[in-house]
Amino acid sequence: MLEKTPPRRSRSTPADVSPGRVARNRMRIAWMYYVEGLTQNEIADKLGIGRVTVVRNINEAIRQREVKIWIEGDVAECLELEGQLKEAFGFKEAVVVPEPSNPALTTKAIGVAAGMYITDNLTDDMSIGVGWGATLYESLQTLAPRQLENVQVISLLGGIVQARRYNPSEFAWQVARMVGADCYLLTAPAVVDSPETRETLIEKCGLKDVLRRAERLDMAVLSCGTMAPDSTAFRFDLLSDEDRTALIRLGAVGDILFNFYDRSGHLVDHPINKRVMSIPIEQLRDVPKRMIASGGNEKVDTLLGAVKLIDCNVLITNEATAREMLIRRT
């Protein structure tokens, strides 16, 4: 009786597809590509798999943040813009990233630079307050894991019940986990129903301790949002369309930590600013290092107001936004 020959396994099908094995294979491929400097074809030949599988694993390793790409060096045009920004706005530091070929990647490019900046500036015995948003989420890609002593990470805004990717609490926890820090959260909704509820939560639900810790921050890491319907502040239905329209009528150009302000850097007179569970804006102005990471064509006025609102002294943005800010600063 003839034995059946088992079907031949294709080069791109691994023998063991368990999650642990898949992850190990992915890391092996990433190591060979980024550390050993092998080409994709060479890796495929060594491992007996297809080149498409190699490419897919490399991309997945980056998506899973198992690979962090760190670029040293300056671009001359960006360096010149950084100097102009510091002179025009009085920033202590400015970081301008090269303009991405695809405008959709602007947020990612700024976030990558923000992660590198945070990593470079974290030290022992430091207290860092963090905001939220798409740009700061992207900073996790280059926020290098480190074990520091006596570091505190404090979320400067309450949480979003239905959000996952951009939840302020989640972002603060991720930063704290990566640097081995203690994490303190404002365990309340980002926006409550009344100023009285806000005061009750602070006084009777243990939030006063977190706010007191935020009085001793060494660095605040923030971003700012526009008044567009798809901006982070509006996509979770915490504010109605009527609220957004009313805020725009009052001159609002954006928000920091759900605090809405005009182009002159003044909080607008709207009830929402009294119902937000965040560190007080005036308190941010006392933080030694006040960083804003944000950019894009639609954010020039938003950034001009934000810079004045918190007296920002560290800005991370992209080339085109930096140029427009210099043109429209007056």
Side-chain angles (χ1 to χ4, degrees):
M1 181 176 178
L2 295 175
E3 293 184 359
K4 289 185 178 180
T5 303
R8 185 176 181 181
R9 188 180 302 275
S10 69
R11 296 179 74 213
S12 59
T13 305
D16 182 353
V17 293
S18 66
R21 183 58 181 267
V22 169
R24 288 194 295 275
N25 287 342
R26 184 170 65 242
M27 292 309 299
R28 178 182 294 277
I29 290 168
W31 180 271
M32 295 171 76
Y33 186 69
Y34 287 106
V35 179
E36 298 182 20
L38 299 181
T39 67
Q40 293 168 357
N41 287 333
E42 288 172 336
I43 296 170
D45 289 341
K46 283 182 176 292
L47 298 182
I49 58 178
R51 181 178 175 277
V52 172
T53 302
V54 173
V55 173
R56 185 170 63 247
N57 276 272
I58 290 171
N59 290 336
E60 181 64 12
I62 294 175
R63 193 185 73 81
Q64 296 279 0
R65 295 197 290 275
E66 296 163 338
V67 171
K68 295 181 183 292
I69 299 172
W70 198 280
I71 299 173
E72 297 287 352
D74 298 309
V75 177
E77 293 86 352
C78 294
L79 199 61
E80 182 179 354
L81 279 172
E82 290 170 3
Q84 292 174 3
L85 286 171
K86 288 192 283 188
E87 182 178 354
F89 294 95
F91 299 138
K92 290 182 179 178
E93 298 176 81
V95 178
V96 177
V97 301
E99 197 66 21
S101 56
N102 181 356
L105 297 177
T106 299
T107 295
K108 181 175 183 178
I110 297 169
V112 164
M116 295 170 65
Y117 181 88
I118 296 168
T119 298
D120 286 343
N121 284 270
L122 280 177
T123 61
D124 291 338
D125 304 311
M126 190 172 190
S127 181
I128 174 173
V130 298
W132 75 318
T135 303
L136 296 186
Y137 176 83
E138 295 291 354
S139 73
L140 295 173
Q141 294 188 58
T142 47
L143 183 59
R146 298 169 62 190
Q147 288 302 312
L148 299 170
E149 297 294 330
N150 193 31
V151 174
Q152 297 181 352
V153 174
I154 301 168
S155 179
L156 303 179
L157 179 67
I160 308 297
V161 175
Q162 294 182 341
R164 282 176 279 181
R165 190 174 183 186
Y166 303 139
N167 197 320
S169 300
E170 172 69 12
F171 178 71
W173 180 84
Q174 289 277 15
V175 173
R177 180 183 63 83
M178 294 179 77
V179 300
D182 293 328
C183 186
Y184 297 89
L185 303 176
L186 280 173
T187 51
V191 179
V192 294
D193 61 353
S194 69
E196 292 75 22
T197 298
R198 182 182 187 277
E199 291 305 314
T200 299
L201 288 171
I202 292 172
E203 295 295 330
K204 297 184 179 180
C205 296
L207 300 184
K208 183 176 286 188
D209 176 64
V210 179
L211 293 175
R212 282 176 177 164
R213 289 179 183 276
E215 293 175 356
R216 301 185 293 274
L217 294 176
D218 299 295
M219 179 165 67
V221 174
L222 304 163
S223 189
C224 54
T226 70
M227 300 303 297
D230 61 348
S231 183
T232 307
F234 297 107
R235 69 178 64 175
F236 302 116
D237 297 325
L238 294 177
L239 299 177
S240 66
D241 288 337
E242 290 77 13
D243 284 333
R244 190 177 74 86
T245 301
L247 285 163
I248 292 172
R249 285 202 198 100
L250 291 169
V253 295
D255 83 287
I256 285 182
L257 304 176
F258 265 113
N259 291 266
F260 291 87
Y261 56 87
D262 61 24
R263 192 180 184 278
S264 298
H266 299 118
L267 293 174
V268 298
D269 186 14
H270 189 278
I272 185 63
N273 284 338
K274 296 177 179 148
R275 296 192 286 117
V276 60
M277 295 299 302
S278 76
I279 181 176
I281 290 295
E282 58 271 17
Q283 194 172 311
L284 283 174
R285 300 188 188 109
D286 296 327
V287 179
K289 192 162 287 190
R290 305 173 296 280
M291 184 194 98
I292 294 177
S294 196
N297 293 335
E298 76 287 0
K299 283 198 174 181
V300 177
D301 283 343
T302 302
L303 272 167
L304 289 170
V307 164
K308 295 175 183 176
L309 178 70
I310 68 164
D311 192 20
C312 168
N313 57 14
V314 179
L315 177 68
I316 302 177
T317 193
N318 59 300
E319 282 183 275
T321 301
R323 294 185 194 282
E324 276 299 307
M325 288 180 69
L326 290 166
I327 292 170
R328 294 159 59 177
R329 67 184 183 276
T330 54

